[in-house]
Amino acid sequence: MLFVEGTFRDVLVKVRDMVHSGHKLVTHPLFASSRMMFSPFRTVIVGKEQDGVSPEECQIAEESIISYDNLTARRKRQPEHDGDYAEMDRLLYLASLEEIEMLNSSHVI
Amino acid sequence: MRLEQNLIYIKDVVLGDVNKVEDGVLTVDVEGLKAAVMVDDKVKDVKVDIAKPGEKVRIVPVKDVIEPRFRKDGRNGFPGVTTKYEETGNGAVNILKGAAIVTIGDMVGFQEGVIDMWGEGARWTPFSETFNIVVDITPIDGLDPHQHEVVVRLAGLRASTFVGLAAENAAIDETKVFEIGTMAEETAKYPDLPKVLYVQMNIAQGLLHDTFFYGVDLKEIIPTWFHPFEELDNAVISGNCVAACDKITTYQHQNNALTYDLYDQHGKTINFIGNIFSPELTTLDGKFRNCDYCAKLCDQLGADGVIVSEEGYGNPDSDLVMICKRLEKRGIKTALVTDECSGWDGTSQPLTDTAAEAVAVVSSGNVSKVIDLEPADKVLGNLKSAQTLAGGWDGCVEEDGSLKVELNAVIGATSEIGYHYASVKLY
């Protein structure tokens, strides 16, 4: 577990750097709904370093930053919602773990 | 399949003590409605209000919108969810056209999702034109967010079925008949028309980000071929309520505009051979698997062309582009329908992902467009949620109390299945 002190964007940059250095991108860096993009918290699952760098995963990590910037360019922090955003990020992270469990349940990936 | 939609046009709604329709006026039995919702012992309280087109009423935060209907054949509800599983898409259904159940439920504080019944806000949501029966559900204390979501979701479905009872003996204004046979039958009828499939992507990612087909969570399926009429007949339910502008409400599933348009062209310009769900997952392995499988399914079914609609914004953009690439590589012409996030001035890169193969793309609107919402005379729902709507930037609240919000916040404003008011112009 790696904690990034900073913003959602700082997490995206860290993920981008890790994917470029060979880590597998396991979950997509962005949420699926625009409102969640204003969350100050984001959990992204990356794997161990793999053989070679995946261009497709690098592209997804890069484009996620561009997309995030587009959506949040003029937004200010709304700290009164921090608790709810943290809880939603946690619950969606747990759902991703269940998804990984389903993918792994019959074979090794 | 053959589906008969008996339409009863609703011109007004009043609260009363019996469910009935007379001369286009829908009367709703309020106490009966509350009792139908409170059958769930996790519901502590229910408030029922009416919001009519033109009234200075704001509804927020909207959980779901559902069209009230009645089935004559006994299966009256949502199969696999509120009634036992039964195939949908065949038979006759009476529809209170112009009425809608709007549920309110604030599971998290930052939730938005607004319907304004008047003014600028009304221009952007299709549910400003419906007579809305607004059901505000308070659950018992101590529920976790997952349980809370289930309670509000089911309450909305039960409310719609209860109000739909008014359609049982109402005079029918118009009957629309939809009929499509098996793929073999239709291909024999229209051998020269291109075979077209509709791939519907749906968010399937966890709390407030789920979709259900006959009650089955789409996270747990691989892409599946189904008959378009099943969706039009209560087989699909929305569990989404964070992406207000581009979530597909249950009402929009019941009235999928792309399905209606494709059916309209069936036998004229295309042979419409069905719909496919492609769940939008969170893992890249899951996305690769589903997008590959989806493209293979389209290929196996012999599609010449495919229309793909997205739900949500952000990580689903990757699925959209991956499906497109895979279909085009198989020689299948592909058109995409998606909204875009192109900044306040509309000039930024609109989608998270791009691809050279994505050459036929229809935009359903810019989620970042800023609109003004003037103060409401009455707010149904949560005043705090109404305040949350203000965009969170300098100058987003005017002196007279009006708010500047992005379309993000408005229910159905940029619907990626086309059930909305925004349109596209070529310059």
Side-chain angles (χ1 to χ4, degrees), chain A residues 24-28 30-37 63 67 70-71 74-76 81 84-85 88 91-92 95-96 99 103 109, chain B residues 109-110 112 205 207 209 242-243 281-285 289 312-313 315 318 341 344 348-349 352-354 391-394 406 408:
Chain A
K24 178 175 172 57
L25 183 58
V26 177
T27 56
H28 197 288
L30 296 178
F31 291 108
S33 53
S34 47
R35 183 76 203 191
M36 282 302 296
M37 301 294 187
E63 289 181 330
S67 181
N70 278 350
L71 196 64
R74 301 189 191 233
R75 289 275 176 163
K76 284 169 40 177
H81 299 307
D84 280 329
Y85 277 125
M88 275 304 298
L91 293 171
L92 292 172
S96 289
E99 191 182 314
L103 284 167
I109 56 170
Chain B
F110 56 80
E112 42 193 19
Q205 306 196 354
L207 180 64
H209 295 74
V242 182
L281 302 180
T282 64
T283 60
L284 295 194
D285 281 334
R289 180 196 65 194
Y313 174 84
N315 76 55
S318 295
C341 171
W344 281 11
S348 303
Q349 176 181 313
T352 304
D353 290 23
T354 53
W393 60 78
D394 290 330
E406 293 176 337
N408 278 322

Short mmCIF file of all heavy atoms in Angstrom, two decimals, chain A residues 24-28 30-37 63 67 70-71 74-76 81 84-85 88 91-92 95-96 99 103 109, chain B residues 109-110 112 205 207 209 242-243 281-285 289 312-313 315 318 341 344 348-349 352-354 391-394 406 408:
data_model
loop_
_atom_site.label_atom_id
_atom_site.label_comp_id
_atom_site.label_asym_id
_atom_site.label_seq_id
_atom_site.Cartn_x
_atom_site.Cartn_y
_atom_site.Cartn_z
N LYS A 24 2.26 -3.13 -13.67
CA LYS A 24 1.01 -3.42 -14.38
C LYS A 24 -0.08 -2.49 -13.84
O LYS A 24 -0.21 -2.30 -12.63
CB LYS A 24 0.61 -4.87 -14.14
CG LYS A 24 -0.70 -5.29 -14.79
CD LYS A 24 -0.94 -6.78 -14.58
CE LYS A 24 -2.33 -7.19 -15.03
NZ LYS A 24 -2.62 -6.86 -16.43
N LEU A 25 -0.88 -1.92 -14.74
CA LEU A 25 -2.02 -1.09 -14.33
C LEU A 25 -3.21 -2.03 -14.17
O LEU A 25 -3.74 -2.55 -15.16
CB LEU A 25 -2.30 -0.03 -15.40
CG LEU A 25 -3.42 0.98 -15.11
CD1 LEU A 25 -3.16 1.74 -13.81
CD2 LEU A 25 -3.58 1.95 -16.27
N VAL A 26 -3.61 -2.27 -12.95
CA VAL A 26 -4.67 -3.27 -12.71
C VAL A 26 -6.05 -2.64 -12.81
O VAL A 26 -6.94 -3.16 -13.48
CB VAL A 26 -4.48 -3.95 -11.33
CG1 VAL A 26 -5.63 -4.93 -11.05
CG2 VAL A 26 -3.14 -4.67 -11.29
N THR A 27 -6.26 -1.50 -12.13
CA THR A 27 -7.56 -0.82 -12.27
C THR A 27 -7.37 0.51 -13.00
O THR A 27 -6.30 1.13 -12.94
CB THR A 27 -8.24 -0.52 -10.91
OG1 THR A 27 -7.35 0.23 -10.09
CG2 THR A 27 -8.63 -1.80 -10.21
N HIS A 28 -8.41 0.92 -13.68
CA HIS A 28 -8.36 2.19 -14.42
C HIS A 28 -8.17 3.34 -13.42
O HIS A 28 -8.79 3.34 -12.35
CB HIS A 28 -9.65 2.37 -15.21
CG HIS A 28 -9.54 3.40 -16.30
ND1 HIS A 28 -9.46 4.75 -16.03
CD2 HIS A 28 -9.48 3.28 -17.64
CE1 HIS A 28 -9.37 5.42 -17.17
NE2 HIS A 28 -9.39 4.55 -18.17
N LEU A 30 -9.23 6.36 -13.39
CA LEU A 30 -10.36 7.29 -13.20
C LEU A 30 -11.60 6.57 -12.69
O LEU A 30 -11.77 5.37 -12.88
CB LEU A 30 -10.70 7.98 -14.53
CG LEU A 30 -9.62 8.88 -15.12
CD1 LEU A 30 -10.09 9.43 -16.47
CD2 LEU A 30 -9.26 10.03 -14.18
N PHE A 31 -12.50 7.34 -12.08
CA PHE A 31 -13.83 6.82 -11.74
C PHE A 31 -14.68 6.80 -13.01
O PHE A 31 -14.25 7.25 -14.08
CB PHE A 31 -14.49 7.74 -10.70
CG PHE A 31 -13.85 7.71 -9.33
CD1 PHE A 31 -13.10 8.78 -8.87
CD2 PHE A 31 -14.01 6.61 -8.50
CE1 PHE A 31 -12.53 8.76 -7.60
CE2 PHE A 31 -13.44 6.58 -7.24
CZ PHE A 31 -12.70 7.66 -6.78
N ALA A 32 -15.94 6.32 -12.85
CA ALA A 32 -16.84 6.24 -14.01
C ALA A 32 -17.88 7.36 -14.01
O ALA A 32 -18.68 7.45 -14.93
CB ALA A 32 -17.57 4.90 -14.03
N SER A 33 -17.87 8.19 -12.97
CA SER A 33 -18.87 9.24 -12.92
C SER A 33 -18.18 10.57 -12.64
O SER A 33 -17.21 10.64 -11.88
CB SER A 33 -19.91 8.94 -11.85
OG SER A 33 -19.30 8.69 -10.61
N SER A 34 -18.71 11.61 -13.28
CA SER A 34 -18.02 12.89 -13.23
C SER A 34 -17.94 13.44 -11.82
O SER A 34 -16.92 14.01 -11.42
CB SER A 34 -18.69 13.89 -14.17
OG SER A 34 -20.08 13.85 -14.00
N ARG A 35 -18.99 13.28 -11.02
CA ARG A 35 -18.97 13.86 -9.68
C ARG A 35 -17.83 13.28 -8.83
O ARG A 35 -17.21 13.99 -8.03
CB ARG A 35 -20.31 13.63 -8.99
CG ARG A 35 -20.40 14.26 -7.61
CD ARG A 35 -20.61 15.76 -7.67
NE ARG A 35 -20.17 16.43 -6.46
CZ ARG A 35 -20.42 17.69 -6.15
NH1 ARG A 35 -21.09 18.44 -6.99
NH2 ARG A 35 -20.00 18.21 -5.05
N MET A 36 -17.55 12.00 -9.02
CA MET A 36 -16.48 11.37 -8.23
C MET A 36 -15.11 11.93 -8.60
O MET A 36 -14.15 11.79 -7.84
CB MET A 36 -16.50 9.85 -8.41
CG MET A 36 -17.58 9.12 -7.62
SD MET A 36 -17.51 9.40 -5.83
CE MET A 36 -15.93 8.65 -5.42
N MET A 37 -15.01 12.56 -9.76
CA MET A 37 -13.72 13.14 -10.16
C MET A 37 -13.33 14.31 -9.24
O MET A 37 -12.18 14.73 -9.21
CB MET A 37 -13.76 13.65 -11.59
CG MET A 37 -14.10 12.61 -12.61
SD MET A 37 -12.87 11.32 -12.80
CE MET A 37 -13.58 10.48 -14.22
N GLU A 63 -3.59 9.57 -20.55
CA GLU A 63 -4.83 10.26 -20.95
C GLU A 63 -5.73 10.52 -19.76
O GLU A 63 -6.55 11.45 -19.77
CB GLU A 63 -5.54 9.45 -22.03
CG GLU A 63 -4.78 9.53 -23.35
CD GLU A 63 -5.43 8.77 -24.50
OE1 GLU A 63 -6.10 7.76 -24.25
OE2 GLU A 63 -5.24 9.19 -25.66
N SER A 67 -7.65 14.05 -19.00
CA SER A 67 -9.10 14.07 -18.79
C SER A 67 -9.44 14.67 -17.43
O SER A 67 -10.37 15.48 -17.29
CB SER A 67 -9.63 12.65 -18.88
OG SER A 67 -11.00 12.63 -18.69
N ASN A 70 -9.12 18.40 -17.54
CA ASN A 70 -10.25 19.02 -18.26
C ASN A 70 -11.44 19.21 -17.34
O ASN A 70 -12.09 20.24 -17.33
CB ASN A 70 -10.71 18.11 -19.41
CG ASN A 70 -9.86 18.29 -20.64
OD1 ASN A 70 -9.06 19.21 -20.70
ND2 ASN A 70 -10.04 17.42 -21.61
N LEU A 71 -11.73 18.16 -16.60
CA LEU A 71 -12.97 18.16 -15.83
C LEU A 71 -12.88 19.03 -14.59
O LEU A 71 -13.87 19.62 -14.15
CB LEU A 71 -13.32 16.72 -15.43
CG LEU A 71 -14.75 16.48 -14.95
CD1 LEU A 71 -15.73 16.77 -16.07
CD2 LEU A 71 -14.93 15.07 -14.46
N ARG A 74 -11.49 24.18 -13.00
CA ARG A 74 -11.92 25.39 -12.28
C ARG A 74 -12.49 25.08 -10.90
O ARG A 74 -13.00 25.97 -10.23
CB ARG A 74 -12.98 26.11 -13.11
CG ARG A 74 -12.46 26.50 -14.47
CD ARG A 74 -13.45 27.39 -15.16
NE ARG A 74 -13.07 27.55 -16.55
CZ ARG A 74 -12.92 28.72 -17.14
NH1 ARG A 74 -13.09 29.82 -16.46
NH2 ARG A 74 -12.60 28.79 -18.41
N ARG A 75 -12.44 23.84 -10.51
CA ARG A 75 -13.05 23.46 -9.24
C ARG A 75 -12.18 23.84 -8.04
O ARG A 75 -10.96 23.73 -8.10
CB ARG A 75 -13.27 21.95 -9.23
CG ARG A 75 -14.38 21.53 -10.16
CD ARG A 75 -15.72 21.66 -9.46
NE ARG A 75 -16.79 21.35 -10.39
CZ ARG A 75 -18.02 21.06 -10.00
NH1 ARG A 75 -18.34 21.04 -8.73
NH2 ARG A 75 -18.96 20.81 -10.89
N LYS A 76 -12.87 24.23 -6.97
CA LYS A 76 -12.17 24.43 -5.70
C LYS A 76 -12.51 23.26 -4.77
O LYS A 76 -13.53 22.61 -4.95
CB LYS A 76 -12.62 25.75 -5.07
CG LYS A 76 -11.99 26.94 -5.75
CD LYS A 76 -12.60 28.26 -5.35
CE LYS A 76 -12.95 28.41 -3.90
NZ LYS A 76 -13.48 29.74 -3.59
N HIS A 81 -17.22 17.60 2.15
CA HIS A 81 -17.61 16.28 1.64
C HIS A 81 -16.49 15.24 1.74
O HIS A 81 -16.63 14.12 1.22
CB HIS A 81 -18.05 16.38 0.18
CG HIS A 81 -19.24 17.27 -0.02
ND1 HIS A 81 -20.41 17.12 0.70
CD2 HIS A 81 -19.44 18.34 -0.84
CE1 HIS A 81 -21.27 18.04 0.33
NE2 HIS A 81 -20.72 18.81 -0.59
N ASP A 84 -17.42 11.67 2.96
CA ASP A 84 -18.22 10.87 2.02
C ASP A 84 -17.39 10.41 0.83
O ASP A 84 -17.53 9.28 0.35
CB ASP A 84 -19.42 11.69 1.53
CG ASP A 84 -20.55 11.71 2.56
OD1 ASP A 84 -20.70 10.71 3.29
OD2 ASP A 84 -21.26 12.72 2.63
N TYR A 85 -16.52 11.30 0.34
CA TYR A 85 -15.67 10.90 -0.79
C TYR A 85 -14.74 9.76 -0.37
O TYR A 85 -14.52 8.81 -1.14
CB TYR A 85 -14.85 12.09 -1.29
CG TYR A 85 -15.57 13.01 -2.24
CD1 TYR A 85 -15.69 14.37 -2.00
CD2 TYR A 85 -16.13 12.52 -3.42
CE1 TYR A 85 -16.34 15.22 -2.87
CE2 TYR A 85 -16.79 13.35 -4.31
CZ TYR A 85 -16.90 14.71 -4.03
OH TYR A 85 -17.55 15.54 -4.91
N MET A 88 -16.77 6.56 -0.28
CA MET A 88 -17.10 6.06 -1.62
C MET A 88 -15.86 5.47 -2.30
O MET A 88 -15.94 4.43 -2.95
CB MET A 88 -17.67 7.20 -2.50
CG MET A 88 -19.15 7.43 -2.34
SD MET A 88 -20.18 5.98 -2.65
CE MET A 88 -19.80 5.64 -4.37
N LEU A 91 -15.31 2.08 -0.80
CA LEU A 91 -16.28 1.06 -1.23
C LEU A 91 -16.06 0.65 -2.68
O LEU A 91 -16.19 -0.52 -3.04
CB LEU A 91 -17.71 1.58 -1.03
CG LEU A 91 -18.12 1.77 0.44
CD1 LEU A 91 -19.46 2.50 0.56
CD2 LEU A 91 -18.20 0.42 1.16
N LEU A 92 -15.71 1.62 -3.52
CA LEU A 92 -15.46 1.26 -4.93
C LEU A 92 -14.15 0.47 -5.05
O LEU A 92 -14.04 -0.42 -5.90
CB LEU A 92 -15.42 2.53 -5.80
CG LEU A 92 -16.78 3.24 -5.93
CD1 LEU A 92 -16.62 4.59 -6.64
CD2 LEU A 92 -17.78 2.37 -6.70
N ALA A 95 -15.06 -3.00 -4.22
CA ALA A 95 -15.74 -3.63 -5.36
C ALA A 95 -14.73 -4.07 -6.42
O ALA A 95 -14.89 -5.13 -7.04
CB ALA A 95 -16.76 -2.65 -5.96
N SER A 96 -13.68 -3.27 -6.61
CA SER A 96 -12.63 -3.66 -7.56
C SER A 96 -11.92 -4.92 -7.09
O SER A 96 -11.59 -5.80 -7.90
CB SER A 96 -11.60 -2.54 -7.72
OG SER A 96 -12.15 -1.46 -8.41
N GLU A 99 -13.97 -7.75 -8.00
CA GLU A 99 -13.87 -8.01 -9.44
C GLU A 99 -12.59 -8.79 -9.75
O GLU A 99 -12.61 -9.74 -10.54
CB GLU A 99 -13.86 -6.65 -10.16
CG GLU A 99 -14.02 -6.74 -11.67
CD GLU A 99 -13.96 -5.34 -12.28
OE1 GLU A 99 -14.63 -4.42 -11.77
OE2 GLU A 99 -13.22 -5.17 -13.27
N LEU A 103 -12.05 -12.49 -11.40
CA LEU A 103 -11.17 -12.77 -12.54
C LEU A 103 -10.18 -13.86 -12.17
O LEU A 103 -9.76 -14.65 -13.01
CB LEU A 103 -10.40 -11.50 -12.93
CG LEU A 103 -11.17 -10.44 -13.70
CD1 LEU A 103 -10.37 -9.13 -13.73
CD2 LEU A 103 -11.46 -10.89 -15.12
N ILE A 109 -3.90 -14.90 -13.21
CA ILE A 109 -3.56 -13.87 -14.20
C ILE A 109 -2.38 -13.05 -13.69
O ILE A 109 -2.10 -13.04 -12.52
CB ILE A 109 -4.75 -12.92 -14.49
CG1 ILE A 109 -5.26 -12.27 -13.20
CG2 ILE A 109 -5.85 -13.65 -15.19
CD1 ILE A 109 -6.26 -11.16 -13.42
N GLY B 109 -23.21 12.85 0.88
CA GLY B 109 -23.47 14.28 0.94
C GLY B 109 -23.21 15.05 -0.33
O GLY B 109 -23.82 16.09 -0.56
N PHE B 110 -22.29 14.53 -1.17
CA PHE B 110 -21.96 15.31 -2.36
C PHE B 110 -22.86 14.99 -3.55
O PHE B 110 -22.68 15.50 -4.65
CB PHE B 110 -20.49 15.07 -2.77
CG PHE B 110 -20.14 13.64 -2.99
CD1 PHE B 110 -20.46 13.01 -4.18
CD2 PHE B 110 -19.49 12.91 -2.02
CE1 PHE B 110 -20.14 11.68 -4.39
CE2 PHE B 110 -19.15 11.58 -2.21
CZ PHE B 110 -19.48 10.96 -3.41
N GLU B 112 -25.49 14.95 -6.35
CA GLU B 112 -26.24 15.99 -7.04
C GLU B 112 -27.35 15.29 -7.80
O GLU B 112 -27.87 14.28 -7.37
CB GLU B 112 -25.31 16.83 -7.92
CG GLU B 112 -24.28 16.05 -8.67
CD GLU B 112 -23.19 16.91 -9.29
OE1 GLU B 112 -22.98 18.06 -8.87
OE2 GLU B 112 -22.53 16.41 -10.20
N GLN B 205 -19.85 -1.09 -11.41
CA GLN B 205 -18.60 -0.89 -10.67
C GLN B 205 -18.76 -0.82 -9.16
O GLN B 205 -17.78 -0.56 -8.45
CB GLN B 205 -17.91 0.39 -11.17
CG GLN B 205 -17.69 0.38 -12.67
CD GLN B 205 -16.70 1.41 -13.17
OE1 GLN B 205 -16.22 2.23 -12.41
NE2 GLN B 205 -16.37 1.33 -14.45
N LEU B 207 -21.11 0.41 -5.45
CA LEU B 207 -22.16 1.25 -4.87
C LEU B 207 -22.42 2.52 -5.69
O LEU B 207 -21.50 3.26 -6.01
CB LEU B 207 -21.78 1.64 -3.44
CG LEU B 207 -22.80 2.51 -2.71
CD1 LEU B 207 -24.11 1.77 -2.51
CD2 LEU B 207 -22.25 3.01 -1.39
N HIS B 209 -23.03 2.80 -8.58
CA HIS B 209 -22.48 2.67 -9.93
C HIS B 209 -22.85 1.31 -10.52
O HIS B 209 -21.99 0.58 -11.02
CB HIS B 209 -20.95 2.80 -9.93
CG HIS B 209 -20.44 4.15 -9.51
ND1 HIS B 209 -20.46 4.59 -8.22
CD2 HIS B 209 -19.91 5.17 -10.23
CE1 HIS B 209 -19.95 5.81 -8.15
NE2 HIS B 209 -19.61 6.19 -9.35
N VAL B 242 -24.71 8.71 -9.23
CA VAL B 242 -23.70 9.76 -9.03
C VAL B 242 -23.48 10.55 -10.31
O VAL B 242 -23.33 11.77 -10.27
CB VAL B 242 -22.38 9.16 -8.52
CG1 VAL B 242 -21.36 10.26 -8.29
CG2 VAL B 242 -22.61 8.42 -7.22
N ALA B 243 -23.47 9.88 -11.44
CA ALA B 243 -23.26 10.57 -12.71
C ALA B 243 -24.60 11.11 -13.20
O ALA B 243 -25.24 10.52 -14.05
CB ALA B 243 -22.67 9.61 -13.73
N LEU B 281 -16.40 -2.36 -16.47
CA LEU B 281 -15.77 -2.79 -15.22
C LEU B 281 -14.66 -1.82 -14.82
O LEU B 281 -14.39 -0.84 -15.52
CB LEU B 281 -15.22 -4.21 -15.39
CG LEU B 281 -16.27 -5.27 -15.78
CD1 LEU B 281 -15.61 -6.64 -15.91
CD2 LEU B 281 -17.41 -5.34 -14.78
N THR B 282 -14.02 -2.11 -13.69
CA THR B 282 -12.97 -1.20 -13.22
C THR B 282 -11.56 -1.69 -13.57
O THR B 282 -10.65 -0.88 -13.70
CB THR B 282 -13.02 -1.03 -11.69
OG1 THR B 282 -12.74 -2.29 -11.08
CG2 THR B 282 -14.38 -0.54 -11.24
N THR B 283 -11.40 -3.01 -13.69
CA THR B 283 -10.06 -3.53 -13.96
C THR B 283 -9.79 -3.51 -15.46
O THR B 283 -10.71 -3.71 -16.27
CB THR B 283 -9.90 -4.97 -13.46
OG1 THR B 283 -10.86 -5.79 -14.12
CG2 THR B 283 -10.11 -5.05 -11.95
N LEU B 284 -8.54 -3.31 -15.82
CA LEU B 284 -8.20 -3.34 -17.25
C LEU B 284 -8.38 -4.74 -17.82
O LEU B 284 -8.85 -4.90 -18.95
CB LEU B 284 -6.77 -2.85 -17.47
CG LEU B 284 -6.50 -1.39 -17.11
CD1 LEU B 284 -5.17 -0.94 -17.66
CD2 LEU B 284 -7.60 -0.48 -17.58
N ASP B 285 -8.02 -5.78 -17.03
CA ASP B 285 -8.23 -7.15 -17.53
C ASP B 285 -9.72 -7.39 -17.80
O ASP B 285 -10.09 -8.03 -18.79
CB ASP B 285 -7.71 -8.18 -16.52
CG ASP B 285 -6.19 -8.31 -16.60
OD1 ASP B 285 -5.63 -8.02 -17.68
OD2 ASP B 285 -5.56 -8.69 -15.60
N ARG B 289 -11.30 -8.14 -21.49
CA ARG B 289 -12.10 -9.35 -21.71
C ARG B 289 -13.46 -8.99 -22.27
O ARG B 289 -13.91 -9.55 -23.28
CB ARG B 289 -12.27 -10.10 -20.38
CG ARG B 289 -13.09 -11.36 -20.49
CD ARG B 289 -13.56 -11.84 -19.12
NE ARG B 289 -14.47 -10.87 -18.52
CZ ARG B 289 -14.83 -10.87 -17.24
NH1 ARG B 289 -14.34 -11.76 -16.42
NH2 ARG B 289 -15.67 -9.96 -16.78
N GLY B 312 -21.79 7.11 -18.39
CA GLY B 312 -20.79 7.69 -17.51
C GLY B 312 -19.67 8.36 -18.28
O GLY B 312 -19.74 8.53 -19.51
N TYR B 313 -18.66 8.74 -17.52
CA TYR B 313 -17.54 9.47 -18.11
C TYR B 313 -16.29 9.12 -17.31
O TYR B 313 -16.35 8.92 -16.11
CB TYR B 313 -17.80 10.99 -18.03
CG TYR B 313 -16.63 11.78 -18.49
CD1 TYR B 313 -16.44 12.03 -19.85
CD2 TYR B 313 -15.67 12.24 -17.59
CE1 TYR B 313 -15.33 12.72 -20.28
CE2 TYR B 313 -14.56 12.94 -18.03
CZ TYR B 313 -14.40 13.18 -19.37
OH TYR B 313 -13.30 13.86 -19.80
N ASN B 315 -13.42 6.38 -16.78
CA ASN B 315 -12.90 5.08 -17.18
C ASN B 315 -13.73 4.36 -18.26
O ASN B 315 -13.17 3.58 -19.04
CB ASN B 315 -12.57 4.19 -15.96
CG ASN B 315 -13.77 3.57 -15.29
OD1 ASN B 315 -14.56 2.90 -15.92
ND2 ASN B 315 -13.89 3.75 -13.97
N SER B 318 -12.49 4.33 -21.97
CA SER B 318 -11.55 3.32 -22.45
C SER B 318 -12.29 2.15 -23.08
O SER B 318 -11.91 1.65 -24.15
CB SER B 318 -10.69 2.78 -21.30
OG SER B 318 -9.87 3.81 -20.80
N CYS B 341 -16.40 15.86 -22.29
CA CYS B 341 -16.00 16.82 -21.26
C CYS B 341 -14.97 17.72 -21.91
O CYS B 341 -13.78 17.42 -21.93
CB CYS B 341 -15.40 16.07 -20.09
SG CYS B 341 -14.67 17.17 -18.90
N TRP B 344 -15.32 24.48 -20.14
CA TRP B 344 -16.39 25.48 -20.17
C TRP B 344 -16.59 26.06 -21.57
O TRP B 344 -17.69 26.39 -21.96
CB TRP B 344 -16.04 26.63 -19.20
CG TRP B 344 -16.33 26.29 -17.78
CD1 TRP B 344 -16.63 25.06 -17.27
CD2 TRP B 344 -16.35 27.20 -16.68
NE1 TRP B 344 -16.83 25.14 -15.93
CE2 TRP B 344 -16.67 26.44 -15.53
CE3 TRP B 344 -16.13 28.57 -16.55
CZ2 TRP B 344 -16.77 27.02 -14.27
CZ3 TRP B 344 -16.23 29.14 -15.29
CH2 TRP B 344 -16.55 28.37 -14.16
N SER B 348 -11.59 21.81 -25.14
CA SER B 348 -10.62 20.83 -24.66
C SER B 348 -10.86 19.46 -25.28
O SER B 348 -11.92 19.21 -25.86
CB SER B 348 -10.72 20.69 -23.14
OG SER B 348 -10.53 21.93 -22.52
N GLN B 349 -9.86 18.55 -25.13
CA GLN B 349 -10.01 17.18 -25.64
C GLN B 349 -11.26 16.56 -25.01
O GLN B 349 -11.37 16.47 -23.80
CB GLN B 349 -8.78 16.35 -25.26
CG GLN B 349 -8.89 14.88 -25.67
CD GLN B 349 -7.66 14.07 -25.26
OE1 GLN B 349 -6.55 14.50 -25.48
NE2 GLN B 349 -7.88 12.91 -24.68
N THR B 352 -11.59 10.87 -22.70
CA THR B 352 -10.36 10.43 -22.06
C THR B 352 -9.46 9.71 -23.06
O THR B 352 -8.26 9.92 -23.12
CB THR B 352 -10.71 9.46 -20.90
OG1 THR B 352 -11.59 10.13 -20.02
CG2 THR B 352 -9.48 9.04 -20.16
N ASP B 353 -10.05 8.82 -23.83
CA ASP B 353 -9.29 8.02 -24.79
C ASP B 353 -9.68 8.39 -26.21
O ASP B 353 -10.80 8.80 -26.48
CB ASP B 353 -9.58 6.52 -24.58
CG ASP B 353 -8.98 6.01 -23.29
OD1 ASP B 353 -8.74 6.84 -22.40
OD2 ASP B 353 -8.75 4.80 -23.19
N THR B 354 -8.74 8.20 -27.11
CA THR B 354 -9.03 8.46 -28.52
C THR B 354 -8.48 7.30 -29.35
O THR B 354 -7.64 6.54 -28.89
CB THR B 354 -8.36 9.76 -29.00
OG1 THR B 354 -6.97 9.67 -28.68
CG2 THR B 354 -8.96 10.97 -28.33
N GLY B 391 -21.32 25.07 -8.16
CA GLY B 391 -20.18 24.37 -8.74
C GLY B 391 -18.91 24.26 -7.92
O GLY B 391 -18.09 23.41 -8.17
N GLY B 392 -18.72 25.10 -6.91
CA GLY B 392 -17.48 24.99 -6.16
C GLY B 392 -16.37 25.81 -6.80
O GLY B 392 -15.22 25.41 -6.81
N TRP B 393 -16.74 26.92 -7.38
CA TRP B 393 -15.73 27.83 -7.90
C TRP B 393 -16.15 29.27 -7.57
O TRP B 393 -17.30 29.50 -7.21
CB TRP B 393 -15.54 27.66 -9.41
CG TRP B 393 -16.77 27.92 -10.22
CD1 TRP B 393 -17.29 29.12 -10.57
CD2 TRP B 393 -17.66 26.93 -10.78
NE1 TRP B 393 -18.45 28.97 -11.31
CE2 TRP B 393 -18.69 27.64 -11.46
CE3 TRP B 393 -17.69 25.55 -10.79
CZ2 TRP B 393 -19.73 26.98 -12.12
CZ3 TRP B 393 -18.72 24.90 -11.44
CH2 TRP B 393 -19.72 25.62 -12.09
N ASP B 394 -15.23 30.22 -7.69
CA ASP B 394 -15.54 31.60 -7.37
C ASP B 394 -16.65 32.12 -8.27
O ASP B 394 -16.62 31.92 -9.49
CB ASP B 394 -14.29 32.48 -7.55
CG ASP B 394 -13.26 32.17 -6.48
OD1 ASP B 394 -13.66 31.79 -5.37
OD2 ASP B 394 -12.05 32.30 -6.76
N GLU B 406 -22.56 23.15 -13.64
CA GLU B 406 -22.23 22.46 -14.90
C GLU B 406 -23.33 21.44 -15.18
O GLU B 406 -24.02 20.97 -14.26
CB GLU B 406 -20.87 21.77 -14.76
CG GLU B 406 -19.73 22.76 -14.62
CD GLU B 406 -18.38 22.07 -14.39
OE1 GLU B 406 -18.37 20.93 -13.92
OE2 GLU B 406 -17.34 22.71 -14.65
N ASN B 408 -23.12 18.51 -15.61
CA ASN B 408 -22.87 17.36 -14.74
C ASN B 408 -23.98 17.08 -13.75
O ASN B 408 -24.29 15.94 -13.45
CB ASN B 408 -21.63 17.66 -13.86
CG ASN B 408 -20.34 17.42 -14.55
OD1 ASN B 408 -20.24 16.49 -15.31
ND2 ASN B 408 -19.37 18.27 -14.29
#
